[in-house]
Amino acid sequence: MTPDRPELDLSVVIPVYNEEGSLPHLIPELSQALQQLDCSYEIIAVDDGSRDESVSVLRTLQEQEPRLRVIQFRRNFGQTAAFSAGFDYARGEVIITMDADGQNDPADIPRLLEVMEEGDHDLVNGWRQSRKEPLLTRKLPSKIANWLIANTSDVHLHDRGCSLKAMDHDLVKQMRLYGELHRFIPEVASLIGARIAEVPVTDRPRKAGESKYGALTRTPRVILDLITVSFLLSYSNRPMQLFGGVGLLSSGLGMAILGYLAGAKVLRGLLYGAEAFRSFRIGTNPWTMLAVLLTVLGVQFLMMGLLGEILTRTYYEAQEKPIYVVRKVFEINEE
């Protein structure tokens, strides 16, 4: 399916979750930065089931900025779904993503667009070189995660946690995000051959509110999604090389153990006689039972997880079914 052609020059997608204190500062600042670019634009704020007055604040801000569009979810679906909804509704030739907490500086947007145009890149990722966050709880885990992801996925970026990105319209319309894959947008983009660049950007302290997640709660999900992305990057079109390799290894190990036990039984009979041969029981040997149990369960669980991931992607993409439910869309039509 050919993506619809963009109607505007620029779309800015902002996931929002309980950010009533940050939005009154961010939206006017963002509008001022976009007006200086002398281009047609829209701001898409996706409310991810906020429990505070974020939607009311956004509706009030629409009176000052009519190009602000507000998408309200019926409940909290997560940041990945919020990005996905913003991408579906975006009409710009270039799509910018950023956080609603004010830590991303709208003044960095022109630099992202400049690098994108100069290098003919499909995606330009922000790189927060001087992060205003604690070292042990945020910076260090982020450095370790970025190093691990870069070496696993072969997409070498310094800062995947930066939401400030610029992406080509066609690239965004071809991407499908599920689970928690918003953290792996560059990796998902690389699946379809995107050209990716990285630009240093400003990281500012949060003006209001608090972070919605911590390193401890985020780490398990990142690891699981990293396994998924690594599989999609390396084996999505040749899964037998992965499953076949695991199967050969596990089968070879199982046959080696059984061969050893059978040889030990025969050798025991030759050395100590028929009674010793009969007393050495392979079928009830705990090592045999443990080896078979672990091998079968490990292969089954791994295959069920990865096959389930493929089935999920097929289900959504075949039906073009979104992973969110929109309650209302607030926008002011300009005459």
Side-chain angles (χ1 to χ4, degrees), residues 156-175:
H156 296 280
L157 295 174
H158 294 87
D159 188 6
R160 285 165 177 79
C162 181
S163 294
L164 188 58
K165 296 177 175 65
M167 292 173 280
D168 178 72
H169 172 274
D170 290 344
L171 170 68
V172 168
K173 297 302 181 180
Q174 292 168 10
M175 288 195 303

Side-chain angles (χ1 to χ4, degrees), residues 8 14 23 29 97 157 207-208 270 285 329 331:
L8 304 171
I14 308 174
L23 292 170
E29 182 183 21
T97 61
L157 295 174
K207 293 183 178 180
L270 293 175
N285 190 299
V329 178
E331 56 185 302

Side-chain angles (χ1 to χ4, degrees), residues 229-287:
V229 170
S230 299
F231 170 75
L232 294 175
L233 284 170
S234 302
Y235 299 106
S236 61
N237 60 348
R238 47 190 180 98
M240 184 52 65
Q241 293 193 20
L242 174 63
F243 297 125
V246 173
L248 289 175
L249 178 62
S250 61
S251 298
L253 181 61
M255 291 180 66
I257 294 174
L258 292 175
Y260 169 78
L261 294 173
K265 183 179 178 72
V266 173
L267 183 61
R268 187 183 180 90
L270 293 175
L271 293 177
Y272 302 108
E275 184 62 30
F277 179 84
R278 286 192 296 269
S279 65
F280 190 90
R281 300 182 182 276
I282 295 178
T284 56
N285 190 299
W287 288 104

Side-chain angles (χ1 to χ4, degrees), residues 194-245:
R195 298 179 52 144
I196 302 172
E198 193 171 35
V199 174
V201 296
T202 304
D203 183 54
R204 306 185 298 186
R206 173 186 279 272
K207 293 183 178 180
E210 58 184 11
S211 177
K212 306 303 184 295
Y213 52 83
L216 293 179
T217 58
R218 179 176 52 175
T219 299
R221 291 178 290 178
V222 171
I223 293 174
L224 293 174
D225 284 326
L226 176 58
I227 295 173
T228 300
V229 170
S230 299
F231 170 75
L232 294 175
L233 284 170
S234 302
Y235 299 106
S236 61
N237 60 348
R238 47 190 180 98
M240 184 52 65
Q241 293 193 20
L242 174 63
F243 297 125

